[in-house]
Amino acid sequence: MSELIIKNLQVSVDTEAGSKEILKGVDLTIRSGETHAIMGPNGSGKSTLAYSIAGHPKYTITGGTVTLDGADVLEMSVDERAKAGLFLAMQYPVEVPGVSVSNFLRTAVTAIRGEAPKLRTWVGEVKEAMASLNMDTAFSERNVNEGFSGGEKKRHEILQMELLKPKIAILDETDSGLDVDALRIVSEGVNRVKSNSDLGVMLITHYTRILRYIKPDFVHVFANGKIVEEGGPELADKLEEQGYAAYITA
Amino acid sequence: MSLLTTNYLTPTGREEPWRFTPLKRISGLHEIEKNVPGDITFAVSQNLVTGVTFKNVAASELPPSYTSTDLISNRVRSSVGEVSSLNIDKDIELAQPIILQRNCSGSPQFSRLVIEIGTNSKATVIIENTGKAIIGEEIEIVVSAGAKLNFVTLQEWEPSAIHLGQHHALIAKDGEFNSYVITVGGSVVRLNPTVDFTGQGSSADLSGLYFATSGQHLEHRIHVDHNIANAKSRVNYKGALSGQDARTVWIGDVFIHKGADGTDTYELNRNLLLTDGARADSVPNLEIETGEIVGAGHASTTGRFDDEQLFYLQSRGIPADIARRLVIRGFFAEIVTKLKNEAIEERIMDRIDAELAKVGE
């Protein structure tokens, strides 16, 4: 049983006009097995929340705490956070020219598990995970995210999640840029990992579409840098009908 | 041969070819008043197969087959009494590379080597430069009709070495010349890989990799002369720099003369700055005298290490130092994997890893 506790998190970024506050006190707890949908309009700070937890250097934490099973996440380096069991599926995965997917996956898994996986079982493990995400085996010889279509990038993110076996995963707009078939495959991947591993999920999205495939236990409405309303799955239905207008204050 | 040299003056550093080079650090190799002995500096450690010969001949028996405007090659020509000659007969295909090792004294010396590959032959020649040296050299490479030569020159010098050289290839009809210039060692290295096409259907593919650390000056001045129709050239040099006063210079001159219709050329230089205090100059230069060409282009980028790549890899649990290594290896992979020689690939990558380890210190 794992628990990610975010308390009164405040985050700013440096802009040309000076420091700008993005997160204005976020409180959220995610436990193993739970799926939390974070929904909100563009520019509300959803991605900042995701990247701050992962430790992106662009963001400055100005207040609050983040702990994973009692350990101070904000004190950890980016790779330590991943080793502690956090995973961020990115909206825009980064291209790494000249580094093959297979080399990348093996290096990451070695770092997370603390030892190199046994070659024979590893090859099978990767093949199986790729097959269930409808990925061709030739994929592993390509360079990380280089020339990948939108759908391939997202599938590659979920593939990593499946192999790295995090405790808590943050999916940042994983549904963006996906057609219906790709959305279904990616969602099935998330659900499979959840059923196999008791994964806790923070699902960041603008649209309710993905929630037809990945059922949230909790829905949080995010606006202007904080959570402004919380509820069960029914809240997503309300957003589907009414949009975010009610939460955007002038 | 010494007549040529009298046409030259000792460069002051204001001349275009010398404006980037730290003249104070090259032990007078450029000073025309200074006598530098012409020595034989190459050795072959392997048994050569039938059809391949390596010998030293009198300079008068192997005169230069092209006119050079380069000061160093003219100084070399005027001072060497003997020339090293590597000859590969026609119609043979070598399965194993020929490796020439450099054997330098550590005091100033000049050296001249001529490599000739016969009609329709295929071979790989690797030059290994290690140890201490203060050397000015000319390598003349003659690729006969239909021949294919892979030419690799590895500069893995010790930190004190000085190496100035002109590597000139003449490529005959349907000849194919692929060169790999790998420069990771030395204090000052300044190489001029130059190409002349002497017959149609010929091609040159020039690849380079350099890694300069603190205080190193690594300079590559490419010149491809398209003076004949239907020849093709590709240039792709990649460099990384780290540390205070790490310095690289890349000049890419491509000339397409009148009458060189059907020319197809593209040149590319990418530099990766890993730390502050390093400086990369990159000067592509394309001159075109005919519009009847297949294509001509160039690109040059010099950028800092991409922190987003580092973040992405680290967010998957990969520690920062291993992540950096992956990214740099990835950056150079395009060049070294083309070599198709795993032993050399590993050696180069290990050397780069070692240089990178110093960056973290």
Side-chain angles (χ1 to χ4, degrees):
Chain A
M1 176 73 181
S2 282
E3 205 172 34
L4 179 72
I5 303 175
I6 303 160
K7 274 192 188 154
N8 192 28
L9 186 65
Q10 296 158 53
V11 174
S12 63
V13 288
D14 289 332
T15 67
E16 281 172 18
S19 178
K20 185 171 184 261
E21 190 181 27
I22 308 277
L23 298 188
K24 299 168 181 172
V26 178
D27 292 287
L28 183 64
T29 297
I30 297 176
R31 297 182 183 86
S32 294
E34 296 177 353
T35 298
H36 294 250
I38 311 285
M39 307 191 64
N42 289 330
S44 58
K46 304 186 302 287
S47 287
T48 299
L49 177 63
Y51 278 84
S52 303
I53 296 168
H56 195 286
K58 181 174 148 192
Y59 300 101
T60 309
I61 313 292
T62 54
T65 58
V66 179
T67 59
L68 179 64
D69 300 332
D72 185 353
V73 170
L74 301 178
E75 281 298 305
M76 299 177 192
S77 63
V78 175
D79 53 301
E80 284 167 351
R81 295 177 198 213
K83 281 184 202 117
L86 292 173
F87 180 84
L88 169 62
M90 297 187 197
Q91 185 180 0
Y92 302 109
V94 182
E95 294 184 4
V96 191
V99 178
S100 69
V101 167
S102 68
N103 185 12
F104 165 62
L105 293 176
R106 199 172 153 75
T107 307
V109 162
T110 302
I112 295 276
R113 297 184 189 169
E115 59 176 357
K118 297 253 182 316
L119 196 60
R120 197 184 302 164
T121 52
W122 169 244
V123 171
E125 198 181 335
V126 175
K127 262 192 185 162
E128 198 187 319
M130 286 176 72
S132 54
L133 286 163
N134 265 15
M135 295 168 88
D136 193 276
T137 47
F139 204 86
S140 45
E141 296 316 310
R142 293 171 66 183
N143 292 334
V144 172
N145 293 319
E146 205 177 41
F148 286 18
S149 69
E152 286 172 333
K153 282 182 182 168
K154 298 302 168 72
R155 276 187 269 177
H156 181 228
E157 294 292 284
I158 301 307
L159 173 70
Q160 294 165 49
M161 185 176 82
E162 192 146 13
L163 295 168
L164 298 178
K165 301 190 186 355
K167 293 171 182 159
I168 306 285
I170 302 167
L171 310 183
D172 185 18
E173 310 241 0
T174 293
D175 50 341
S176 71
L178 294 186
D179 62 25
V180 177
D181 292 331
L183 182 62
R184 186 179 48 76
I185 291 164
V186 165
S187 301
E188 282 171 4
V190 174
N191 289 330
R192 191 171 50 248
V193 176
K194 280 185 58 172
S195 64
N196 291 343
S197 69
D198 208 26
L199 177 75
V201 175
M202 184 197 293
L203 181 65
I204 294 174
T205 182
H206 184 80
Y207 302 105
T208 52
R209 196 173 62 142
I210 194 172
L211 304 183
R212 281 178 230 151
Y213 301 92
I214 303 173
K215 295 292 177 197
D217 303 300
F218 306 93
V219 174
H220 310 265
V221 181
F222 210 82
N224 195 27
K226 56 188 349 176
I227 291 168
V228 291
E229 188 170 354
E230 296 176 290
E234 74 287 349
L235 183 52
D237 299 334
K238 185 183 151 197
L239 290 170
E240 172 80 31
E241 284 170 28
Q242 301 177 0
Y244 295 112
Y247 304 102
I248 304 172
T249 48
Chain B
M1 293 303 300
S2 61
L3 286 172
L4 275 168
T5 306
T6 55
N7 295 329
Y8 286 85
L9 297 172
T10 297
T12 62
R14 286 188 291 276
E15 302 77 4
E16 178 57 33
W18 294 99
R19 68 186 176 105
F20 294 106
T21 314
L23 296 173
K24 288 197 176 93
R25 287 166 56 189
I26 58 173
S27 286
L29 289 176
H30 65 302
E31 290 169 13
I32 59 159
E33 312 77 27
K34 183 162 173 164
N35 248 328
V36 173
D39 294 327
I40 291 300
T41 63
F42 287 102
V44 181
S45 59
Q46 77 223 86
N47 291 321
L48 296 174
V49 298
T50 311
V52 180
T53 53
F54 179 79
K55 61 186 179 190
N56 302 320
V57 300
S60 56
E61 282 181 42
L62 209 50
S65 55
Y66 74 105
T67 306
S68 174
T69 55
D70 173 59
L71 167 73
I72 297 297
S73 56
N74 280 290
R75 277 181 49 74
V76 168
R77 291 173 181 189
S78 67
S79 73
V80 295
E82 279 192 310
V83 176
S84 298
S85 162
L86 175 67
N87 200 289
I88 300 157
D89 272 358
K90 64 180 172 118
D91 299 319
I92 58 173
E93 191 165 333
L94 299 181
Q96 296 299 321
I98 300 165
I99 298 170
L100 299 182
Q101 274 150 344
R102 188 84 86 170
N103 181 11
C104 289
S105 65
S107 57
Q109 55 191 153
F110 282 146
S111 157
R112 191 171 132 77
L113 166 70
V114 178
I115 300 171
E116 286 178 90
I117 178 165
T119 307
N120 296 327
S121 284
K122 288 181 180 153
T124 295
V125 174
I126 299 171
I127 293 182
E128 293 185 345
N129 292 307
T130 56
K132 294 175 179 142
I134 301 168
I135 188 164
E137 66 157 344
E138 179 181 33
I139 300 177
E140 186 179 313
I141 301 152
V142 179
V143 180
S144 303
K148 176 181 173 179
L149 178 68
N150 297 319
F151 172 74
V152 184
T153 174
L154 302 168
Q155 286 66 245
E156 299 175 277
W157 298 113
E158 289 196 14
S160 66
I162 296 157
H163 180 194
L164 309 184
Q166 164 112 341
H167 299 165
H168 187 76
L170 299 115
I171 311 166
K173 185 177 184 303
D174 299 324
E176 181 182 336
F177 175 64
N178 304 309
S179 91
Y180 302 85
V181 177
I182 313 282
T183 306
V184 290
S187 169
V188 178
V189 177
R190 181 186 185 275
L191 299 177
N192 313 336
T194 58
V195 169
D196 270 342
F197 298 101
T198 59
Q200 296 196 21
S202 46
S203 69
D205 189 319
L206 314 181
S207 303
L209 179 164
Y210 47 86
F211 193 127
T213 52
S214 202
Q216 268 186 309
H217 177 100
L218 307 180
E219 180 171 351
H220 297 89
R221 311 179 66 91
I222 291 97
H223 185 119
V224 180
D225 211 57
H226 280 276
N227 204 2
I228 203 151
N230 301 319
K232 178 178 170 178
S233 64
R234 290 289 180 272
V235 178
N236 186 5
Y237 272 60
K238 286 185 141 185
L241 301 84
S242 84
Q244 192 59 39
D245 298 324
R247 186 85 161 82
T248 66
V249 177
W250 179 87
I251 309 289
D253 287 335
V254 175
F255 280 79
I256 304 173
H257 295 268
K258 211 171 179 174
D261 296 354
T263 291
D264 180 3
T265 177
Y266 195 83
E267 55 169 348
L268 182 64
N269 175 229
R270 292 201 189 290
N271 296 297
L272 193 52
L273 298 166
L274 301 177
T275 66
D276 289 333
R279 176 174 164 168
D281 281 281
S282 179
V283 189
N285 179 32
L286 183 58
E287 288 190 30
I288 308 177
E289 291 178 347
T290 171
E292 304 298 312
I293 57 170
V294 175
H298 59 73
S300 157
T301 59
T302 297
R304 300 190 66 89
F305 192 89
D306 184 352
D307 289 332
E308 293 299 327
Q309 292 180 355
L310 198 61
F311 173 73
Y312 187 73
L313 296 173
Q314 276 189 277
S315 77
R316 272 49 177 153
I318 301 170
D321 57 335
I322 297 176
R324 285 178 83 90
R325 212 158 69 194
L326 267 183
V327 172
I328 310 276
R329 277 183 170 242
F331 176 70
F332 285 130
E334 178 188 9
I335 306 289
V336 290
T337 54
K338 241 172 102 182
L339 263 166
K340 292 193 172 58
N341 181 322
E342 276 182 29
I344 291 180
E345 187 178 325
E346 258 327 289
R347 217 167 83 199
I348 301 297
M349 285 305 194
D350 286 349
R351 174 77 181 239
I352 288 165
D353 284 352
E355 304 281 345
L356 275 175
K358 287 188 221 157
V359 178
E361 280 166 13

